[in-house]
Amino acid sequence: MTTWHLECSECPRSEPGQARASVCPDCGRPFLVRYDGTLPSRDALVARWDMWRYTPALPISDFETPVSLGEGLTPLHELPAVARRLGVRRAWVKDEALNPTASFKARGMSAAVTRARSLGVAGLVVPTAGNAGAALAAYGAAAGLPVRVYAPEGTPSAILDTIAVFGATLQLVAGHIGDAGRAARRYAAECGYFDVSTLREPYRIEGKKTLGLEIAEQLGWRLPTHIVYPTGGGTGLIGMWKAFAEMRDAGWLAPDTHAPRMIVAQAEGCAPIVRAFHARQTRAAPWENPITHASGLRVPAPLGDTLILRALRESAGTAIAVDELAIRDATHRLAQLSGVDASPEGGCALGVAEALARDGGLPDDAEVVIFNTGSGASYRS
Ligand SMILES: Cc1ncc(COP(=O)(O)O)c(C=O)c1O
Ligand SMILES: [Zn+2]
């Protein structure tokens, strides 16, 4: 029986696993889920074909059923042409476009809505750059819970249409996701809806953690040497880094397994983590006037800044930004070299891998996983 508690990522505060927790009341920083005892062995994995295959490593008790729409277990395509281009031994794209509502946000929302339903919340609210809102709308519908979504004006219309299809209430906000976040928090305070903003509740990270568990299983319980992750709020990167530590502690990986170098990919028009990393800071100052067509990366002040920067330092990784033209070019290239319908965020990841290779940052024996976090189709309308 899996049990857990919540630990503040910055201070000694902890809360019981069943608390309706948001950020830490003492310091305002995110809580992380800590399991009581180590995870069971990987023989305990469940024979079902979605991310709940990793139930023993997820926050769910034996008597609960997850709110699931078939998220996860996405393909990891090997791309010899990309490996040749980068001058590395092997390269793959992890194609997260094949999730419900066409992005990796499904994983986090499946975990978060499962917990929120169990806590008996009246409804769910989220600020979004787009894909998280579409995912929450779908999982709210699956759970029978009302959903309210705050998105910036200019969010791709195909994504806004998806949000409406699932019956969520959509509020367009002038500005960026930070402005949407303030409106969402106001609504949550007034109406008692549960706020599932990135890192304001601890469970989306646990769903995103399955990205790391899955890559390990797909590579035969080995890890790549580099992971290039298009980073907005950073939940996936933080989640994978947590997954690698938990797998190591539970003996899921060979003891001599090296953790990958984590590479943050951002757009030059919104690169708070790149700036903070190279200035050796532990917090990222908000980015003024964030602009990029890779809308998932338009996050000027990520609440998980400390956790992202910590993962970069612990993994001996780095953070790189590329410009809009490089993102567009690499998006087309990723699609044409792989057959995957690349999103601009996935294109940014390839563009950053190419920039790193050009700077001599990828050794010729590197094994590189590039994330395509969403679908190109969501941006064509
Ligand atoms: C397609 C896509 N890629 C990447 C991101 C950034 O994800 P994260 O918040 O995990 O950094 C988003 C967030 O909206 C997104 O929609
Ligand atoms: Zn705290």
Side-chain angles (χ1 to χ4, degrees):
M1 168 89 172
T2 312
T3 60
W4 66 91
H5 59 280
L6 305 176
E7 232 174 62
C8 177
S9 56
E10 287 289 314
C11 83
R13 177 94 183 209
S14 70
E15 294 282 341
Q18 296 311 318
R20 178 173 163 164
S22 176
V23 289
C24 171
D26 291 340
C27 73
R29 308 299 288 164
F31 276 116
L32 295 174
V33 173
R34 296 294 179 204
Y35 295 92
D36 303 325
T38 48
L39 302 180
S41 91
R42 53 175 213 241
D43 304 336
L45 295 187
V46 181
R48 57 178 282 167
W49 310 120
D50 55 40
M51 78 169 198
W52 296 95
R53 166 169 177 70
Y54 304 104
T55 288
L58 292 173
I60 187 162
S61 14
D62 293 348
F63 51 83
E64 286 177 312
T65 42
V67 181
S68 172
L69 293 166
E71 55 291 320
L73 302 201
T74 58
L76 183 67
H77 298 295
E78 184 152 13
L79 303 176
V82 170
R84 274 196 298 281
R85 206 180 152 80
L86 298 176
V88 299
R89 182 155 62 205
R90 300 180 78 182
W92 297 264
V93 61
K94 178 80 170 152
D95 187 15
E96 288 293 300
L98 297 190
N99 277 295
T101 70
S103 89
F104 70 150
K105 300 283 179 187
R107 298 175 187 262
M109 291 307 180
S110 178
V113 174
T114 296
R115 294 272 30 97
R117 182 182 63 178
S118 162
L119 291 169
V121 306
L124 302 156
V125 59
V126 77
T128 181
N131 283 313
L136 183 65
Y139 285 89
L145 286 169
V147 169
R148 193 171 177 96
V149 174
Y150 289 83
E153 286 166 357
T155 300
S157 60
I159 300 180
L160 297 179
D161 291 348
T162 304
I163 293 168
V165 158
F166 291 111
T169 306
L170 176 63
Q171 299 286 314
L172 289 180
V173 177
H176 52 66
I177 192 170
D179 304 302
R182 276 183 284 281
R185 280 196 291 288
R186 232 178 0 255
Y187 185 81
E190 278 164 20
C191 297
Y193 273 29
F194 190 62
D195 181 0
V196 289
S197 305
T198 300
L199 288 164
R200 284 191 179 272
E201 62 75 61
Y203 297 111
R204 281 174 64 186
I205 285 196
E206 294 302 299
K208 291 281 189 80
K209 203 174 78 177
T210 60
L211 293 166
L213 304 173
E214 239 171 79
I215 288 175
E217 183 168 23
Q218 286 173 309
L219 295 177
W221 301 107
R222 293 170 54 256
L223 295 176
T225 61
H226 296 72
I227 292 181
V228 188
Y229 182 81
T231 304
T235 21
L237 185 126
I238 297 165
M240 280 191 277
W241 193 240
K242 186 171 187 286
F244 299 148
E246 288 177 359
M247 279 193 286
R248 189 197 51 226
D249 292 349
W252 289 20
L253 301 168
D256 61 348
T257 305
H258 278 287
R261 290 181 196 265
M262 305 301 285
I263 318 289
V264 157
Q266 295 199 307
E268 280 183 1
C270 183
I273 299 296
V274 176
R275 185 170 65 185
F277 178 75
H278 293 289
R280 298 177 198 284
Q281 285 158 348
T282 52
R283 297 288 307 269
W287 192 268
E288 299 289 331
N289 192 22
I291 300 173
T292 173
H293 76 284
S295 46
L297 308 185
R298 194 167 164 243
V299 183
L303 183 60
D305 53 353
T306 313
L307 291 165
I308 300 168
L309 291 162
R310 201 183 288 165
L312 292 186
R313 276 192 307 276
E314 288 176 1
S315 74
T318 191
I320 297 176
V322 290
D323 67 22
E324 296 297 292
L325 191 60
I327 295 174
R328 283 186 209 283
D329 282 354
T331 305
H332 292 141
R333 205 158 37 251
L334 181 54
Q336 288 165 18
L337 291 176
S338 69
V340 160
D341 189 4
S343 63
E345 295 81 0
C348 182
L350 177 61
V352 161
E354 291 170 346
L356 186 62
R358 268 196 307 278
D359 290 351
L362 287 177
D364 51 16
D365 60 353
E367 300 189 345
V368 184
V369 169
I370 290 162
F371 267 92
N372 181 46
T373 41
S375 164
S378 306
Y379 296 75
R380 288 192 292 269
S381 42

